[in-house]
Structure formats: C-alpha cells, structure tokens
Amino acid sequence: MLRGGKPVERARMSDIALERIREAIVTGELAPGSKIKDSELAEYLGLSRTPVREALARLVDTGLVEAKPGAYTRITTLDRGDVEATLAVIEALDQLAVVTAVPNLTDEMIGAMRSANKDFAAAVKRNDIGRALTADDRLHSVIIDAAANPLLKKLIHQVHPQIHRIYYRKFSSLLGSQDSVDHHNKLIELCANHDAEAAATLSAEHRRHLGGLIGELFDADEFALSD
C-alpha cells in the first residue's frame, strides 16, 4: 500500500516556497544577479531547507535562477537575448490561447474581463504596481482558462514571471498608461464579438509593442544591476 502523507506535505511546502521565492524575484526583493544560499533563504521564509532547495531547482528550470554546483546559486540577470526569446514564446502562446478561447467565452467570462480591466485602470491611476499586475493576470487568466488546454496554461504560467519582473521594475514605462487600458478594452470587445482572429492579432501586436519598449529600455541601459 502506498504511504503518501509525507511526500504530499513536502510537495505542498515546496509549492509554498516556489510561490514566495518567485514573487520575491518578480518584485525585485531578490535582485537580478544576487547570490542566494538555501539556508539563509529557508530561515527568511520560515521553512526548512528541503522545500527551499526543491523550489530553487524548479526555478532553475524556469530560467529565474541559475546554479553552478559547488559554486553559486543566484538570480538570473535581465539578459536582452533571453528576454527577446521569452517575448517571442509568449506572443505565440498568447495567440494560441486567444484563438482557442474566444469561441468558448461566455457573457459571464466577458464580464469578468471587464471587471478585471476596471481594477487594472484604477491601479494604473494610483500607480499601484502589485494590484495592476494582479488585475492584468486576472483578465488574461479568463482567456487562458477558456482555452481549456492544460499544457498551454502550464507553459504560459512558466514563462510569464520572466516578463513580469521587467513589468514590475519598469511599470510606468511599460504598462502604467492609458494605452494598456485601451488595449484591454479593444481586446475585450473583439472577444465579446467572437472575432478570434482579430483578437489574436491584436494580442500579438500589443506584445510586439511592449517588446519594442523593452528593447528601448535595454538600449538606454535601464536594466543595470544597480537599478
């Protein structure tokens, strides 16, 4: 007979550690390039070292953490080539999600998207980065869930934190404007009209627009480690 109690508990604690470390990376609490020790991180989080080590190993797979056995474990730097590659992947995944989701969207789902964008607009006005990104995630999660593709959802959730930490550091330059609110409104209306192709095209165009802005920030050396 299987005895799954302890492994389940370890997995749960590993998930908690993963979420908290990922959030610290996205918000910049753990800065790009900074070295980390699992013992110190475990003490800071109030967890044992085992789930922290497991979480760090999983974060290596996502590209948020890099490790050289016996030498260091550190938060990955904001590398332009890696960011551009991630943006290309996100653009493709978003298009697939939108095309797949739009035929499945209900009036209730469209209402949820409008509510999320209302909260997003209010957060942008207050320059509340955390609430803005949470509202943005809520809006796009409606589409991701409606796509009803577990693998697609997993892939999107895996790559989004790479870009979220850039959004968080340079929110006002990237998402902190009426442009993003207007984009959401246009996307919602296309979704409400069940125009999947136009909605996917708009989503891709917006991703490319953000990619261009991010490129300008790299050109201006706005992602220096001391930033």
Side-chain angles (χ1 to χ4, degrees):
M1 180 179 294
L2 294 176
R3 297 181 180 179
K6 291 186 178 179
V8 169
E9 178 66 15
R10 284 201 297 270
R12 189 180 72 83
M13 296 307 296
S14 175
D15 289 342
I16 292 172
L18 176 70
E19 182 177 343
R20 293 176 66 180
I21 297 169
R22 182 170 54 201
E23 181 181 4
I25 295 172
V26 168
T27 61
E29 185 178 354
L30 290 174
S34 61
K35 293 184 178 180
I36 50 179
K37 295 181 178 179
D38 56 15
S39 58
E40 295 176 355
L41 197 53
E43 182 177 359
Y44 176 74
L45 295 174
L47 299 171
S48 66
R49 293 177 65 179
T50 297
V52 169
R53 283 197 298 265
E54 291 171 351
L56 290 174
R58 292 163 66 185
L59 288 167
V60 168
D61 292 336
T62 69
L64 290 174
V65 171
E66 58 184 352
K68 184 176 181 180
Y72 61 79
T73 300
R74 66 187 179 194
I75 309 304
T76 55
T77 56
L78 293 168
D79 178 81
R80 182 172 190 162
D82 290 342
V83 169
E84 289 176 346
T86 302
L87 282 169
V89 171
I90 288 178
E91 180 183 326
L93 293 175
D94 277 353
Q95 282 188 284
L96 177 58
V98 172
V99 167
T100 308
V102 168
N104 302 328
L105 290 172
T106 64
D107 290 344
E108 183 179 0
M109 292 174 181
I110 295 296
M113 292 173 70
R114 289 198 172 105
S115 176
N117 195 36
K118 182 179 179 181
D119 291 344
F120 177 81
V124 166
K125 188 174 182 179
R126 297 192 304 270
N127 199 36
D128 188 331
I129 302 173
R131 289 187 182 275
L133 290 181
T134 296
D136 185 65
D137 283 344
R138 276 173 48 211
L139 189 156
H140 290 285
S141 289
V142 174
I143 294 175
I144 295 168
D145 289 341
N149 184 326
L151 178 57
L152 176 62
K153 182 175 182 177
K154 179 180 179 180
L155 291 173
I156 290 174
H157 285 174
Q158 182 173 325
V159 297
H160 265 184
Q162 289 279 21
I163 303 303
H164 273 195
R165 63 178 181 154
I166 289 180
Y167 290 166
Y168 205 99
R169 288 163 68 85
K170 293 297 175 184
F171 174 77
S172 296
S173 301
L174 297 170
L175 297 179
S177 71
Q178 184 63 35
D179 287 349
S180 292
V181 178
D182 291 342
H183 160 72
H184 286 159
N185 282 328
K186 292 175 184 177
L187 178 64
I188 291 168
E189 291 311 309
L190 289 172
C191 289
N193 291 329
H194 297 289
D195 193 339
E197 293 296 334
T201 297
L202 178 66
S203 180
E205 288 174 349
H206 187 62
R207 286 294 183 187
R208 285 194 289 271
H209 172 67
L210 291 175
L213 294 178
I214 290 171
E216 291 175 6
L217 292 172
F218 272 107
D219 288 338
D221 197 25
E222 290 288 326
F223 293 120
L225 293 181
S226 60
D227 184 20

